[in-house]
Amino acid sequence: RILKRQMECRRDIDRLNASFIEIYESLVLPQEEKAKQKQLLAVLEKLVNREWPQAKLYLYGSCANSFGVLKSDIDVCLAIEDANINKSEVLLKLADILQSDNLQNVQALPRARVPIVKLMDPVTGISCDICINNVLAVVNTKLLWDYAQIDVRLRQLAFIVKHWAKSRGVNETYQGTLSSYAYVLMCIHFLQQRRPAILPCLQEMEPTYSVTVDDIKCAYFDRVEKLQGFGSRNREPIAQLVWAFFNYWAYRHDYVNAVVSVRTGSIISKQEKDWTRRVGNDRHLICIEDPFETSHDLGRVVDKHTIKVLREEFERAADILQYDPNPCVTLFEPY
Ligand code: ATP
Ligand code: MG
């Protein structure tokens, strides 16, 4: 009887795995969408270079970090070397240029936390945010992209977690829940922590890539093609990893003391970061260290109400994966 039960269990896991992989594949951006994004970038670059011949445009965020799901907007960074520019002026000028070139819904938001120009391209139907000189975001985008090349399970896990977070309404920084960027870092950290590890810690290895941005040195091992097969000693299938991820955040993470750190590939203490009490609006109720801007806690947007919402959602997900006969449907039910 035990053998029979084990075989049934096995079949359940295989079935769940197949469902998760199907969901992942349905979320991945098709090639033709990527071509459209490139096309729009080329149009924008031409317009920008008429005004600022030295300026460069970079894609960042989910359209460039390989964690882009269907229907994401694209994030673009306008890099101008001149240190004396006034960002607001450039932003307004940029909005002017774009407006006169048939782009729609052009809107400058010079007072946002990250000042941007928003627009929609009627030719490709793509919406786009352009920021100025946010080079750190371009560098952390590359880090995420590099991690994604090492083991396909990172993309699978992160797509499922992002899809869950969007369905459950816990992917809204302005409402006190976490950004997509924070969720991807949580996934990287989780896979660094598996035994055997599925991902290495690139920032602890001999650096092969190094840039200094806003006085922050960003250095890590980026020859990721050399790390193919790094995680192959760990054979955990995606269904098990999804279950363990939610189980960790529901029941095992030490919210009182622990900081998740992709930079060190380990858990570090709040004490050591001086993140033990509220400072201004930063409450540090769930702590996720930015890999480069290490004084930056990506969980700082979470307050005493939304930490409850988040933890209840983690518990709900963990319980569904444990007990629900049809978890792939229930997990993503709109809230
Ligand atoms: P989505 O598919 O939801 O748009 P995304 O990967 O574009 O996901 P966002 O959270 O919109 O994720 O962030 C876009 C990019 O902006 C990130 O990849 C990161 O480079 C940068 N970023 C976002 N939030 C922060 C932050 N708090 N600190 C530093 N960089 C950030
Ligand atoms: Mg985005």
Side-chain angles (χ1 to χ4, degrees), residues 31-160:
Q31 278 305 325
E32 62 262 29
E33 281 300 309
K34 283 200 189 136
K36 277 192 202 164
Q37 294 179 345
K38 289 261 154 64
Q39 187 191 330
L40 173 57
L41 193 70
V43 169
L44 295 175
E45 195 139 52
K46 236 193 196 146
L47 288 173
V48 163
N49 280 342
R50 262 189 239 152
E51 178 71 30
W52 299 282
Q54 309 300 327
K56 284 206 171 66
L57 286 185
Y58 296 96
L59 286 174
Y60 73 100
S62 62
C63 57
N65 64 18
S66 89
F67 296 98
V69 294
L70 269 168
K71 299 198 203 83
S72 318
D73 299 349
I74 68 171
D75 300 303
V76 177
C77 170
L78 169 64
I80 300 182
E81 294 262 344
D82 184 356
N84 300 319
I85 56 158
N86 174 323
K87 273 199 192 180
S88 293
E89 268 170 31
V90 172
L91 212 64
L92 295 174
K93 179 94 207 162
L94 179 63
D96 254 3
I97 295 170
L98 299 169
Q99 193 111 50
S100 54
D101 198 88
N102 284 330
L103 292 156
Q104 287 178 353
N105 309 345
V106 177
Q107 198 185 358
L109 303 175
R111 272 177 293 275
R113 194 182 63 85
V114 178
I116 50 169
V117 177
K118 285 179 154 317
L119 61 93
M120 206 278 282
D121 172 33
V123 179
T124 55
I126 297 176
S127 297
C128 162
D129 292 348
I130 308 179
C131 66
I132 294 160
N133 285 356
N134 191 0
V135 183
L136 216 44
V138 177
V139 177
N140 68 37
T141 294
K142 175 176 156 56
L143 180 73
L144 266 46
W145 193 88
D146 283 328
Y147 269 114
Q149 306 315 303
I150 301 171
D151 197 295
V152 69
R153 287 172 288 183
L154 171 58
R155 282 183 83 202
Q156 293 172 339
L157 177 65
F159 272 72
I160 288 161

Side-chain angles (χ1 to χ4, degrees), residues 116-332:
I116 50 169
V117 177
K118 285 179 154 317
L119 61 93
M120 206 278 282
D121 172 33
V123 179
T124 55
I126 297 176
S127 297
C128 162
D129 292 348
I130 308 179
C131 66
I132 294 160
N133 285 356
N134 191 0
V135 183
L136 216 44
V138 177
V139 177
N140 68 37
T141 294
K142 175 176 156 56
L143 180 73
L144 266 46
W145 193 88
D146 283 328
Y147 269 114
Q149 306 315 303
I150 301 171
D151 197 295
V152 69
R153 287 172 288 183
L154 171 58
R155 282 183 83 202
Q156 293 172 339
L157 177 65
F159 272 72
I160 288 161
V161 169
K162 272 177 70 170
H163 182 44
W164 162 84
K166 285 179 203 284
S167 311
R168 300 299 301 169
V170 287
N171 181 205
E172 310 281 1
T173 43
Y174 63 91
Q175 287 177 358
T177 53
L178 298 171
S179 66
S180 296
Y181 177 57
Y183 282 114
V184 175
L185 290 173
M186 286 155 76
C187 292
I188 294 174
H189 184 262
F190 172 77
L191 297 179
Q192 287 175 327
Q193 291 286 301
R194 296 311 281 171
R195 291 294 170 264
I198 294 179
L199 290 178
C201 174
L202 296 176
Q203 288 171 274
E204 295 267 279
M205 296 168 67
E206 194 59 45
T208 51
Y209 167 83
S210 173
V211 287
T212 301
V213 182
D214 308 335
D215 294 329
I216 297 174
K217 187 165 179 212
C218 308
Y220 67 93
F221 183 81
D222 77 335
R223 305 262 162 85
V224 283
E225 67 286 353
K226 297 218 158 66
L227 297 171
Q228 289 297 316
F230 175 91
S232 59
R233 279 203 311 131
N234 181 317
R235 304 172 73 90
E236 287 178 291
I238 185 64
Q240 172 145 0
L241 293 171
V242 172
W243 171 84
F245 177 86
F246 284 115
N247 192 266
Y248 172 77
W249 284 99
Y251 301 117
R252 304 167 77 93
H253 180 71
D254 178 357
Y255 286 84
V256 178
N257 301 305
V259 176
V260 157
S261 162
V262 164
R263 172 180 62 94
T264 60
S266 63
I267 294 281
I268 54 184
S269 74
K270 286 194 193 180
Q271 202 93 46
E272 148 186 0
K273 307 230 33 140
D274 202 15
W275 284 353
T276 48
R277 66 213 131 74
R278 174 173 174 176
V279 177
N281 260 337
D282 297 7
R283 294 176 178 84
H284 305 300
L285 300 173
I286 173 172
C287 294
I288 302 146
E289 181 194 52
D290 186 89
F292 299 123
E293 234 180 324
T294 55
S295 62
H296 190 46
D297 175 8
L298 295 165
R300 66 179 184 175
V301 286
V302 175
D303 61 38
K304 69 179 194 296
H305 169 64
T306 53
I307 186 67
K308 269 182 66 192
V309 173
L310 260 179
R311 292 186 63 171
E312 277 166 20
E313 283 297 331
F314 288 135
E315 285 167 28
R316 174 186 179 274
D319 294 349
I320 286 170
L321 288 158
Q322 186 83 42
Y323 303 112
D324 195 292
N326 205 356
C328 277
V329 177
T330 328
L331 189 60
F332 306 108

